[in-house]
């Protein structure tokens, strides 16, 4: 399948997906990497890899939907079938969601529905939970709310701080995000109501 990755920062999840594609574990190809930040590490890596790396400047658009219309235009022009949000630090408009319903994935560094929003690992750490983790989910109109595809659990250890916990969670992100992408590309995800079955 034709995949686009949207990111804003270091892009380690993007790297993990790209690696699995190169290994042949994902039946897909990345046809565009798009960022809202000109200097994002992820965009730089995309360029180094010879991928199409596109900076779309939010300042050139009047509001969220106008920006998203440009993204959707690019995605359609490239025939994108799957959109992977990988540290894309913008909220997606309902317009964007409706154009790619059940075809946008996101990774969130908590066991949803707990700890939505920013700094999820720190939220979990401060709350005092004994287990934390990450979630790959479809994106819907509400933030960190769409149907859950895969989750992974990690323990919170006595001598953790929020950084050591975030590192442990990130390792699992790099495992389950490519796995979810692989399942999607093989048409093995079946959505029924709120549930996603692996078939
Ligand atoms: C990850 O923690 C991911 O769960 C969250 O944003 C971060 C992105 O990291 N959505 P990276 O840019 O993939 O390294």
């Amino acid at each position: 399948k034709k995949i686009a990755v949207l990111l804003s920062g270091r892009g380690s999840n993007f790297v993990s997906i790209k690696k699995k594609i190169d290994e042949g574990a994902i039946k897909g190809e990345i046809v565009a990497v798009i960022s809202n930040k000109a200097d994002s590490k992820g965009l730089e890596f995309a360029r180094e890899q010879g991928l199409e790396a596109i900076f779309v400047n939010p300042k050139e658009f009047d509001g969220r939907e106008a920006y998203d219309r440009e993204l959707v235009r690019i995605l359609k022009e490239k025939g994108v079938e799957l959109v992977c949000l990988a540290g894309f630090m913008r909220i997606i408009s309902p317009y964007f969601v409706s154009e790619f319903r059940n075809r946008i994935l996101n990774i969130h560094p908590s066991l949803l529905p707990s700890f939505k929003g920013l700094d999820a690992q720190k939220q979990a750490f401060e709350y005092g939970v004994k287990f934390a983790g990450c979630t790959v989910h479809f994106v819907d109109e509400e933030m960190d709310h769409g149907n859950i595809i895969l989750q992974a659990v990690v323990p919170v250890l006595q001598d953790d701080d929020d950084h050591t916990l975030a590192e442990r969670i990130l390792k699992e992100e790099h495992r389950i995000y490519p796995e979810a992408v692989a399942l999607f590309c093989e048409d093995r995800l079946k959505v029924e109501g709120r549930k996603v079955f692996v078939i």
Side-chain angles (χ1 to χ4, degrees), residues 69-101:
R69 281 189 183 273
E70 174 61 7
L71 296 187
V72 167
R73 189 193 65 73
I74 296 170
L75 297 172
K76 292 202 165 162
E77 183 184 85
K78 307 222 168 278
V80 167
E81 300 166 279
L82 171 65
V83 179
C84 294
L85 307 185
F88 187 59
M89 302 306 282
R90 284 177 66 90
I91 291 173
I92 301 293
S93 64
Y95 165 75
F96 190 164
V97 174
S98 69
E99 291 293 314
F100 282 89
R101 179 141 343 252

mmCIF file of all heavy atoms in Angstrom, residues 69-101:
data_model
loop_
_atom_site.group_PDB
_atom_site.id
_atom_site.type_symbol
_atom_site.label_atom_id
_atom_site.label_comp_id
_atom_site.label_asym_id
_atom_site.label_seq_id
_atom_site.Cartn_x
_atom_site.Cartn_y
_atom_site.Cartn_z
ATOM 1 N N ARG A 69 -6.675 20.880 4.093
ATOM 2 C CA ARG A 69 -7.074 20.719 2.689
ATOM 3 C C ARG A 69 -5.848 20.573 1.796
ATOM 4 O O ARG A 69 -5.845 19.790 0.838
ATOM 5 C CB ARG A 69 -7.947 21.895 2.223
ATOM 6 C CG ARG A 69 -9.369 21.752 2.702
ATOM 7 C CD ARG A 69 -10.336 22.760 2.092
ATOM 8 N NE ARG A 69 -11.639 22.544 2.700
ATOM 9 C CZ ARG A 69 -12.543 21.664 2.255
ATOM 10 N NH1 ARG A 69 -12.318 20.975 1.159
ATOM 11 N NH2 ARG A 69 -13.685 21.498 2.901
ATOM 12 N N GLU A 70 -4.808 21.314 2.121
ATOM 13 C CA GLU A 70 -3.558 21.186 1.359
ATOM 14 C C GLU A 70 -2.941 19.794 1.582
ATOM 15 O O GLU A 70 -2.489 19.156 0.629
ATOM 16 C CB GLU A 70 -2.581 22.297 1.771
ATOM 17 C CG GLU A 70 -1.193 22.204 1.156
ATOM 18 C CD GLU A 70 -1.181 22.293 -0.370
ATOM 19 O OE1 GLU A 70 -2.233 22.553 -0.986
ATOM 20 O OE2 GLU A 70 -0.081 22.080 -0.943
ATOM 21 N N LEU A 71 -2.944 19.332 2.840
ATOM 22 C CA LEU A 71 -2.406 17.987 3.102
ATOM 23 C C LEU A 71 -3.185 16.935 2.312
ATOM 24 O O LEU A 71 -2.596 16.080 1.648
ATOM 25 C CB LEU A 71 -2.479 17.651 4.606
ATOM 26 C CG LEU A 71 -1.643 18.497 5.573
ATOM 27 C CD1 LEU A 71 -1.718 17.892 6.976
ATOM 28 C CD2 LEU A 71 -0.185 18.597 5.135
ATOM 29 N N VAL A 72 -4.504 17.021 2.384
ATOM 30 C CA VAL A 72 -5.350 16.040 1.692
ATOM 31 C C VAL A 72 -5.105 16.101 0.181
ATOM 32 O O VAL A 72 -5.035 15.065 -0.495
ATOM 33 C CB VAL A 72 -6.841 16.261 2.043
ATOM 34 C CG1 VAL A 72 -7.756 15.477 1.110
ATOM 35 C CG2 VAL A 72 -7.108 15.867 3.500
ATOM 36 N N ARG A 73 -4.925 17.301 -0.333
ATOM 37 C CA ARG A 73 -4.639 17.457 -1.769
ATOM 38 C C ARG A 73 -3.360 16.693 -2.140
ATOM 39 O O ARG A 73 -3.329 15.927 -3.103
ATOM 40 C CB ARG A 73 -4.497 18.948 -2.112
ATOM 41 C CG ARG A 73 -4.422 19.244 -3.615
ATOM 42 C CD ARG A 73 -3.976 20.661 -3.918
ATOM 43 N NE ARG A 73 -2.610 20.946 -3.493
ATOM 44 C CZ ARG A 73 -1.511 20.478 -4.090
ATOM 45 N NH1 ARG A 73 -1.611 19.695 -5.159
ATOM 46 N NH2 ARG A 73 -0.306 20.777 -3.621
ATOM 47 N N ILE A 74 -2.307 16.907 -1.334
ATOM 48 C CA ILE A 74 -1.028 16.227 -1.600
ATOM 49 C C ILE A 74 -1.199 14.707 -1.489
ATOM 50 O O ILE A 74 -0.753 13.949 -2.356
ATOM 51 C CB ILE A 74 0.067 16.702 -0.611
ATOM 52 C CG1 ILE A 74 0.357 18.193 -0.800
ATOM 53 C CG2 ILE A 74 1.345 15.884 -0.777
ATOM 54 C CD1 ILE A 74 1.239 18.802 0.289
ATOM 55 N N LEU A 75 -1.884 14.275 -0.426
ATOM 56 C CA LEU A 75 -2.048 12.833 -0.189
ATOM 57 C C LEU A 75 -2.788 12.173 -1.350
ATOM 58 O O LEU A 75 -2.426 11.091 -1.801
ATOM 59 C CB LEU A 75 -2.789 12.594 1.132
ATOM 60 C CG LEU A 75 -2.075 13.086 2.403
ATOM 61 C CD1 LEU A 75 -2.987 12.960 3.617
ATOM 62 C CD2 LEU A 75 -0.774 12.317 2.630
ATOM 63 N N LYS A 76 -3.825 12.858 -1.837
ATOM 64 C CA LYS A 76 -4.614 12.277 -2.942
ATOM 65 C C LYS A 76 -3.814 12.272 -4.235
ATOM 66 O O LYS A 76 -3.882 11.318 -5.012
ATOM 67 C CB LYS A 76 -5.910 13.045 -3.109
ATOM 68 C CG LYS A 76 -6.822 12.806 -1.911
ATOM 69 C CD LYS A 76 -8.270 13.066 -2.227
ATOM 70 C CE LYS A 76 -9.104 12.452 -1.121
ATOM 71 N NZ LYS A 76 -10.466 12.983 -1.083
ATOM 72 N N GLU A 77 -3.071 13.357 -4.440
ATOM 73 C CA GLU A 77 -2.249 13.450 -5.645
ATOM 74 C C GLU A 77 -1.258 12.284 -5.712
ATOM 75 O O GLU A 77 -0.950 11.772 -6.788
ATOM 76 C CB GLU A 77 -1.505 14.783 -5.595
ATOM 77 C CG GLU A 77 -0.635 15.116 -6.779
ATOM 78 C CD GLU A 77 0.114 16.418 -6.525
ATOM 79 O OE1 GLU A 77 1.200 16.369 -5.890
ATOM 80 O OE2 GLU A 77 -0.401 17.473 -6.905
ATOM 81 N N LYS A 78 -0.781 11.866 -4.540
ATOM 82 C CA LYS A 78 0.214 10.785 -4.503
ATOM 83 C C LYS A 78 -0.442 9.406 -4.371
ATOM 84 O O LYS A 78 0.245 8.391 -4.249
ATOM 85 C CB LYS A 78 1.175 10.995 -3.333
ATOM 86 C CG LYS A 78 1.786 12.375 -3.341
ATOM 87 C CD LYS A 78 3.255 12.359 -3.019
ATOM 88 C CE LYS A 78 3.896 13.697 -3.306
ATOM 89 N NZ LYS A 78 4.244 13.880 -4.729
ATOM 90 N N GLY A 79 -1.744 9.390 -4.353
ATOM 91 C CA GLY A 79 -2.455 8.100 -4.271
ATOM 92 C C GLY A 79 -2.291 7.393 -2.934
ATOM 93 O O GLY A 79 -2.312 6.157 -2.860
ATOM 94 N N VAL A 80 -2.138 8.174 -1.856
ATOM 95 C CA VAL A 80 -1.888 7.598 -0.533
ATOM 96 C C VAL A 80 -3.096 6.795 -0.043
ATOM 97 O O VAL A 80 -4.237 7.245 -0.142
ATOM 98 C CB VAL A 80 -1.531 8.723 0.475
ATOM 99 C CG1 VAL A 80 -1.569 8.210 1.912
ATOM 100 C CG2 VAL A 80 -0.165 9.307 0.140
ATOM 101 N N GLU A 81 -2.807 5.609 0.483
ATOM 102 C CA GLU A 81 -3.863 4.717 0.992
ATOM 103 C C GLU A 81 -3.837 4.604 2.514
ATOM 104 O O GLU A 81 -4.797 4.147 3.117
ATOM 105 C CB GLU A 81 -3.683 3.324 0.382
ATOM 106 C CG GLU A 81 -3.762 3.336 -1.128
ATOM 107 C CD GLU A 81 -3.259 2.038 -1.731
ATOM 108 O OE1 GLU A 81 -2.031 1.877 -1.870
ATOM 109 O OE2 GLU A 81 -4.094 1.188 -2.038
ATOM 110 N N LEU A 82 -2.717 4.957 3.115
ATOM 111 C CA LEU A 82 -2.569 4.890 4.566
ATOM 112 C C LEU A 82 -1.751 6.087 5.048
ATOM 113 O O LEU A 82 -0.670 6.356 4.509
ATOM 114 C CB LEU A 82 -1.852 3.594 4.986
ATOM 115 C CG LEU A 82 -1.458 3.522 6.463
ATOM 116 C CD1 LEU A 82 -2.686 3.500 7.369
ATOM 117 C CD2 LEU A 82 -0.581 2.297 6.734
ATOM 118 N N VAL A 83 -2.302 6.782 6.048
ATOM 119 C CA VAL A 83 -1.604 7.935 6.640
ATOM 120 C C VAL A 83 -1.143 7.531 8.040
ATOM 121 O O VAL A 83 -1.956 7.131 8.873
ATOM 122 C CB VAL A 83 -2.543 9.158 6.742
ATOM 123 C CG1 VAL A 83 -1.813 10.345 7.384
ATOM 124 C CG2 VAL A 83 -3.091 9.538 5.364
ATOM 125 N N CYS A 84 0.155 7.633 8.283
ATOM 126 C CA CYS A 84 0.684 7.323 9.618
ATOM 127 C C CYS A 84 1.115 8.611 10.306
ATOM 128 O O CYS A 84 2.046 9.284 9.852
ATOM 129 C CB CYS A 84 1.891 6.402 9.514
ATOM 130 S SG CYS A 84 1.489 4.777 8.888
ATOM 131 N N LEU A 85 0.424 8.938 11.398
ATOM 132 C CA LEU A 85 0.868 10.068 12.208
ATOM 133 C C LEU A 85 1.955 9.542 13.130
ATOM 134 O O LEU A 85 1.753 8.552 13.844
ATOM 135 C CB LEU A 85 -0.293 10.634 13.031
ATOM 136 C CG LEU A 85 -1.573 11.005 12.266
ATOM 137 C CD1 LEU A 85 -2.576 11.657 13.218
ATOM 138 C CD2 LEU A 85 -1.273 11.937 11.102
ATOM 139 N N ALA A 86 3.108 10.183 13.098
ATOM 140 C CA ALA A 86 4.232 9.715 13.910
ATOM 141 C C ALA A 86 4.863 10.928 14.594
ATOM 142 O O ALA A 86 5.832 11.506 14.100
ATOM 143 C CB ALA A 86 5.245 8.983 13.033
ATOM 144 N N GLY A 87 4.237 11.318 15.691
ATOM 145 C CA GLY A 87 4.706 12.523 16.365
ATOM 146 C C GLY A 87 4.339 13.769 15.584
ATOM 147 O O GLY A 87 5.108 14.730 15.522
ATOM 148 N N PHE A 88 3.159 13.751 14.974
ATOM 149 C CA PHE A 88 2.652 14.931 14.254
ATOM 150 C C PHE A 88 1.885 15.771 15.268
ATOM 151 O O PHE A 88 0.829 15.349 15.754
ATOM 152 C CB PHE A 88 1.748 14.487 13.109
ATOM 153 C CG PHE A 88 1.304 15.607 12.194
ATOM 154 C CD1 PHE A 88 2.248 16.377 11.520
ATOM 155 C CD2 PHE A 88 -0.046 15.863 11.992
ATOM 156 C CE1 PHE A 88 1.843 17.398 10.658
ATOM 157 C CE2 PHE A 88 -0.457 16.876 11.132
ATOM 158 C CZ PHE A 88 0.493 17.647 10.462
ATOM 159 N N MET A 89 2.450 16.927 15.615
ATOM 160 C CA MET A 89 1.942 17.677 16.761
ATOM 161 C C MET A 89 0.864 18.687 16.369
ATOM 162 O O MET A 89 0.892 19.837 16.809
ATOM 163 C CB MET A 89 3.103 18.389 17.480
ATOM 164 C CG MET A 89 4.189 17.441 17.954
ATOM 165 S SD MET A 89 3.560 16.110 18.991
ATOM 166 C CE MET A 89 3.379 17.010 20.516
ATOM 167 N N ARG A 90 -0.064 18.225 15.541
ATOM 168 C CA ARG A 90 -1.211 19.060 15.199
ATOM 169 C C ARG A 90 -2.467 18.215 15.314
ATOM 170 O O ARG A 90 -2.433 17.017 15.043
ATOM 171 C CB ARG A 90 -1.120 19.555 13.743
ATOM 172 C CG ARG A 90 -0.142 20.667 13.504
ATOM 173 C CD ARG A 90 -0.105 21.003 12.019
ATOM 174 N NE ARG A 90 -1.372 21.555 11.546
ATOM 175 C CZ ARG A 90 -1.661 22.861 11.540
ATOM 176 N NH1 ARG A 90 -0.781 23.747 11.942
ATOM 177 N NH2 ARG A 90 -2.835 23.273 11.101
ATOM 178 N N ILE A 91 -3.548 18.862 15.682
ATOM 179 C CA ILE A 91 -4.821 18.158 15.697
ATOM 180 C C ILE A 91 -5.365 18.138 14.275
ATOM 181 O O ILE A 91 -5.282 19.121 13.539
ATOM 182 C CB ILE A 91 -5.788 18.828 16.696
ATOM 183 C CG1 ILE A 91 -5.271 18.579 18.116
ATOM 184 C CG2 ILE A 91 -7.218 18.305 16.514
ATOM 185 C CD1 ILE A 91 -6.020 19.319 19.190
ATOM 186 N N ILE A 92 -5.855 16.957 13.892
ATOM 187 C CA ILE A 92 -6.376 16.743 12.535
ATOM 188 C C ILE A 92 -7.832 17.218 12.494
ATOM 189 O O ILE A 92 -8.609 16.888 13.383
ATOM 190 C CB ILE A 92 -6.312 15.232 12.231
ATOM 191 C CG1 ILE A 92 -4.873 14.711 12.342
ATOM 192 C CG2 ILE A 92 -6.906 14.884 10.905
ATOM 193 C CD1 ILE A 92 -3.971 15.242 11.303
ATOM 194 N N SER A 93 -8.186 17.948 11.466
ATOM 195 C CA SER A 93 -9.562 18.465 11.370
ATOM 196 C C SER A 93 -10.547 17.357 10.992
ATOM 197 O O SER A 93 -10.154 16.354 10.384
ATOM 198 C CB SER A 93 -9.625 19.573 10.311
ATOM 199 O OG SER A 93 -9.323 19.009 9.045
ATOM 200 N N PRO A 94 -11.831 17.552 11.338
ATOM 201 C CA PRO A 94 -12.861 16.571 10.924
ATOM 202 C C PRO A 94 -12.859 16.356 9.413
ATOM 203 O O PRO A 94 -13.118 15.246 8.936
ATOM 204 C CB PRO A 94 -14.172 17.218 11.384
ATOM 205 C CG PRO A 94 -13.772 18.107 12.517
ATOM 206 C CD PRO A 94 -12.393 18.610 12.182
ATOM 207 N N TYR A 95 -12.548 17.390 8.663
ATOM 208 C CA TYR A 95 -12.475 17.264 7.201
ATOM 209 C C TYR A 95 -11.448 16.205 6.798
ATOM 210 O O TYR A 95 -11.729 15.294 6.008
ATOM 211 C CB TYR A 95 -12.126 18.618 6.568
ATOM 212 C CG TYR A 95 -11.687 18.488 5.141
ATOM 213 C CD1 TYR A 95 -12.610 18.233 4.122
ATOM 214 C CD2 TYR A 95 -10.330 18.564 4.800
ATOM 215 C CE1 TYR A 95 -12.196 18.065 2.811
ATOM 216 C CE2 TYR A 95 -9.909 18.390 3.495
ATOM 217 C CZ TYR A 95 -10.843 18.142 2.496
ATOM 218 O OH TYR A 95 -10.432 17.960 1.211
ATOM 219 N N PHE A 96 -10.248 16.313 7.358
ATOM 220 C CA PHE A 96 -9.165 15.364 7.064
ATOM 221 C C PHE A 96 -9.604 13.944 7.452
ATOM 222 O O PHE A 96 -9.466 12.988 6.675
ATOM 223 C CB PHE A 96 -7.911 15.792 7.842
ATOM 224 C CG PHE A 96 -6.633 15.074 7.480
ATOM 225 C CD1 PHE A 96 -5.399 15.605 7.879
ATOM 226 C CD2 PHE A 96 -6.632 13.884 6.764
ATOM 227 C CE1 PHE A 96 -4.211 14.963 7.560
ATOM 228 C CE2 PHE A 96 -5.442 13.241 6.450
ATOM 229 C CZ PHE A 96 -4.229 13.778 6.856
ATOM 230 N N VAL A 97 -10.170 13.808 8.656
ATOM 231 C CA VAL A 97 -10.609 12.484 9.132
ATOM 232 C C VAL A 97 -11.619 11.885 8.164
ATOM 233 O O VAL A 97 -11.522 10.710 7.779
ATOM 234 C CB VAL A 97 -11.215 12.581 10.552
ATOM 235 C CG1 VAL A 97 -11.810 11.237 10.974
ATOM 236 C CG2 VAL A 97 -10.152 13.025 11.564
ATOM 237 N N SER A 98 -12.574 12.707 7.724
ATOM 238 C CA SER A 98 -13.636 12.162 6.873
ATOM 239 C C SER A 98 -13.097 11.754 5.502
ATOM 240 O O SER A 98 -13.605 10.827 4.878
ATOM 241 C CB SER A 98 -14.788 13.158 6.735
ATOM 242 O OG SER A 98 -14.371 14.260 5.967
ATOM 243 N N GLU A 99 -12.062 12.414 5.041
ATOM 244 C CA GLU A 99 -11.476 12.056 3.737
ATOM 245 C C GLU A 99 -10.665 10.753 3.805
ATOM 246 O O GLU A 99 -10.446 10.109 2.782
ATOM 247 C CB GLU A 99 -10.567 13.190 3.233
ATOM 248 C CG GLU A 99 -11.312 14.464 2.834
ATOM 249 C CD GLU A 99 -12.185 14.266 1.603
ATOM 250 O OE1 GLU A 99 -11.712 13.665 0.620
ATOM 251 O OE2 GLU A 99 -13.349 14.717 1.642
ATOM 252 N N PHE A 100 -10.180 10.415 5.007
ATOM 253 C CA PHE A 100 -9.345 9.204 5.165
ATOM 254 C C PHE A 100 -9.824 8.347 6.324
ATOM 255 O O PHE A 100 -9.026 7.822 7.091
ATOM 256 C CB PHE A 100 -7.862 9.599 5.364
ATOM 257 C CG PHE A 100 -7.169 9.976 4.080
ATOM 258 C CD1 PHE A 100 -7.201 11.286 3.638
ATOM 259 C CD2 PHE A 100 -6.519 9.023 3.321
ATOM 260 C CE1 PHE A 100 -6.582 11.642 2.437
ATOM 261 C CE2 PHE A 100 -5.887 9.363 2.126
ATOM 262 C CZ PHE A 100 -5.920 10.683 1.680
ATOM 263 N N ARG A 101 -11.145 8.179 6.429
ATOM 264 C CA ARG A 101 -11.690 7.437 7.565
ATOM 265 C C ARG A 101 -11.161 6.003 7.622
ATOM 266 O O ARG A 101 -11.106 5.308 6.609
ATOM 267 C CB ARG A 101 -13.220 7.430 7.504
ATOM 268 C CG ARG A 101 -13.790 6.649 8.650
ATOM 269 C CD ARG A 101 -15.044 7.175 9.303
ATOM 270 N NE ARG A 101 -15.436 8.536 9.079
ATOM 271 C CZ ARG A 101 -15.351 9.496 10.015
ATOM 272 N NH1 ARG A 101 -14.853 9.234 11.202
ATOM 273 N NH2 ARG A 101 -15.760 10.710 9.749
#
